[in-house]
Amino acid sequence: MKSKIILENIQIHANHGVLLEEALIGNNYIVNAEFHADLEKASESDNLNDTINYAELNDIIHQEMAIRSELLEHVIGRIISKIEKAFPQITFIKIRLTKTVPPMRGEMSGVSLEFEKEII
């Protein structure tokens, strides 16, 4: 059975970016994450030990977002790496990280980076 856990529109304030202002003032970010794993056992057992605790996934995302980086690519890479190590039953990870007010000209809803990793 293919199962997905999806964390949608996690809003976090963090201090990522190349510019000094971004380090000092910070910015608002939105994180969307998708994880694939076989969760059929949990669908039958109703036992938290047979699934992936999405609160723990959320905690990892918040922990990694709290560590300042210049590049959003680096933040996403750390999130994927930590989740991959913590939950070996996950077979696919997709993280989208959106900076809602990027320091660029023009009106926009944000700039996003999205990484996907299939884990064999």
Side-chain angles (χ1 to χ4, degrees), residues 18-37:
V18 176
L19 301 177
L20 179 60
E21 300 85 40
E22 294 178 293
L24 297 174
I25 299 168
N27 209 318
N28 293 320
Y29 294 86
I30 298 172
V31 181
N32 286 278
E34 180 178 319
F35 309 96
H36 297 188

Side-chain angles (χ1 to χ4, degrees), residues 37-99:
D38 184 350
L39 303 177
E40 185 172 12
K41 187 174 181 182
S43 74
E44 297 168 0
S45 71
D46 196 28
N47 186 326
L48 182 60
N49 294 322
D50 293 333
T51 191
I52 296 168
N53 186 333
Y54 49 79
E56 291 178 17
L57 293 170
N58 184 56
D59 287 345
I60 290 171
I61 290 168
H62 276 83
Q63 289 164 10
E64 294 304 316
M65 286 294 293
I67 301 168
R68 177 170 156 60
S69 289
E70 289 191 2
L71 300 179
L72 298 182
E73 294 89 338
H74 190 247
V75 178
I76 295 172
R78 286 197 327 264
I79 291 169
I80 289 172
S81 179
K82 192 156 186 185
I83 287 173
E84 187 177 359
K85 288 176 187 163
F87 300 98
Q89 65 272 48
I90 290 177
T91 59
F92 175 85
I93 299 173
K94 177 166 65 173
I95 305 289
R96 173 183 281 179
L97 179 54
T98 302
K99 184 183 286 194

